[in-house]
Structures are given as structure tokens and as C-alpha cells.
Amino acid sequence: MKAVYYAPWILCRAVFGTYFHWRVYEANRVPESGSVILAANHASLLDPPLVGAALKRDICYLARESLFRNPLFGAVLRSWNVVPVDRDGGGATGLRAIMDRLNAGNAVILFPEGTRTLDGALQPARSGIGLLAIKSTAPVVPVRLFGTFEAYGRKMRLPRPRSVAVKFGRPMNLDRWRAEAQTCSKARLKEIYQRTAEAIMDQIARLEPCADKTTFP
């Protein structure tokens, strides 16, 4: 890790360990190097740093491009591997930026739902993550976050000291759909993107909380 990334990484681990009493499960399922898509449910602003702090490799994050308008703050965000995207994260420029990070061998965290949940329940997947998963060769690791909605849901002004956890699933095999996408029609391609996104969301939903409280990074 770069020093400028390592310092906030250590800080996040300290905060999650003391204030939120976090637990991390199966982090060894994430490749230690090379490109990988980390597909997680989205319930809180705590989600990106929680996933990043759980892994002993640096990852790339997404943020609204408006946050980069201040040159100094924008430079800080870029040093933390933050990728600027439009508000919905689906613009061509943003997609190219994400693909560039994956092609360069980076890990990128993406949220199939596209936005934070309002009630804590999982939301339907949008096709954007299916497009990225099919166009790249990166493995897709489903990630389930627990407790972040209760700790810092969308309508809360300040975080609450609730227990949070993150669990990593097994990398998904998308070879069949990737192969079909090379030769199929445009209509079928859109269907593949959506079905891939739904399959990723299904794998996230299948990740259950762990009863064992000893696993820790």
C-alpha cells in the first residue's frame, strides 16, 4: 500500500474495531493481487471504507465527480484511489475509468443496487455492474455487509455504535456469459448484462451472517 493510502486504512481499522466492534469473514477469498470486482450491498456511507479496511490490499472506490471540483480535495481523493463518476455512476466516462482501473490490475468496489437502501432491505440490481463484469476479465467477489444500516443509515445524522460485519463470498464464474457476449445480438447482450447483475445480487443475498465471532482480519 502507498503511505497516503495506508494511513487512512489504519485509521479506519481502528474506528471499526473500537466504535463499531467489527468482524470480517472470509477475506482470504479475495485475490491478493490482480484485478477483481468487489460487488457489495449498499446500506450506508460506512460500506466503502468497511470493505477497504477489511482487505490487506488497496482498492479503488467511486465518488461523485462534483467532489473533485476542488483541486486540493480532488488530489487527496485520487491519492486514495477514488475514481470520479457521474451521479448515477453509469456515464461512459465513468465506465471507462472503472475499466481502466480493472485493466491495470486493481480491485474495485461496486454496488449493484446503485444507491443506498432506504429501509435496510436489499434492492434490485442495475445492469451497469453486469456490463462491467462481462466486459472485463476480472473475477467478481460478492460481498455482504451487515449492521451498517443500523449503524449509519441514510436518514441518520451521526453514526451509532452498532456492531458491523463484512463477509466475502467465493469468486463467481462468468465464463459462459462472457463467451456468449462476444457474438450475440445487441438485444441479447443487454439481457446478459441484466442477468449477470441479478446473478451477482443473488450471490450477495445468499451470504448469511456468521455465528462464529472469532474471525478477524
Side-chain angles (χ1 to χ4, degrees):
M1 293 181 185
K2 300 176 295 184
V4 71
Y5 184 97
Y6 183 74
W9 181 78
I10 286 292
L11 177 61
C12 285
R13 287 171 69 89
V15 171
F16 284 122
T18 56
Y19 191 74
F20 296 107
H21 306 289
W22 72 331
R23 291 294 183 269
V24 177
Y25 302 97
E26 309 293 354
N28 61 314
R29 289 174 171 172
V30 179
E32 295 181 358
S33 61
S35 62
V36 59
I37 294 173
L38 303 166
N41 60 303
H42 202 9
S44 169
L45 293 176
L46 297 174
D47 299 339
L50 176 57
V51 174
L55 299 174
K56 296 179 179 179
R57 62 173 290 183
D58 56 347
I59 68 175
C60 296
Y61 307 86
L62 309 184
R64 297 193 312 271
E65 58 186 356
S66 60
L67 296 176
F68 292 77
R69 291 173 184 167
N70 181 294
L72 180 59
F73 188 53
V76 172
L77 290 176
R78 287 186 174 87
S79 71
W80 292 344
N81 299 337
V82 180
V83 181
V85 296
D86 62 24
R87 185 175 180 83
D88 295 322
T93 301
L95 292 175
R96 283 197 298 270
I98 296 168
M99 285 300 301
D100 287 344
R101 300 309 191 280
L102 291 171
N103 292 336
N106 293 295
V108 179
I109 180 171
L110 300 174
F111 298 105
E113 299 157 292
T115 187
R116 286 171 288 160
T117 177
L118 290 173
D119 58 5
L122 297 179
Q123 305 170 92
R126 299 184 180 182
S127 61
I129 191 168
L131 182 153
L132 288 164
I134 294 300
K135 284 187 172 294
S136 76
T137 58
V140 177
V141 175
V143 184
R144 184 76 181 267
L145 297 153
F146 301 95
T148 57
F149 179 79
E150 291 75 15
Y152 194 27
R154 195 165 186 169
K155 296 182 180 180
M156 295 180 189
R157 296 183 63 183
L158 295 171
R160 298 173 181 175
R162 302 289 191 270
S163 296
V164 300
V166 54
K167 184 175 183 179
F168 297 89
R170 299 184 185 280
M172 298 175 62
N173 187 337
L174 302 176
D175 290 347
R176 178 173 64 85
W177 282 339
R178 284 171 172 164
E180 183 181 355
Q182 298 295 320
T183 57
C184 69
S185 66
K186 289 185 177 180
R188 174 56 180 164
L189 188 59
K190 289 183 178 180
E191 183 181 347
I192 289 174
Y193 292 158
Q194 184 60 43
R195 290 188 63 185
T196 301
E198 291 169 357
I200 292 170
M201 201 67 214
D202 180 67
Q203 290 301 307
I204 293 172
R206 290 174 181 270
L207 294 172
E208 297 291 338
C210 293
D212 177 14
K213 297 297 183 182
T214 62
T215 306
F216 195 77

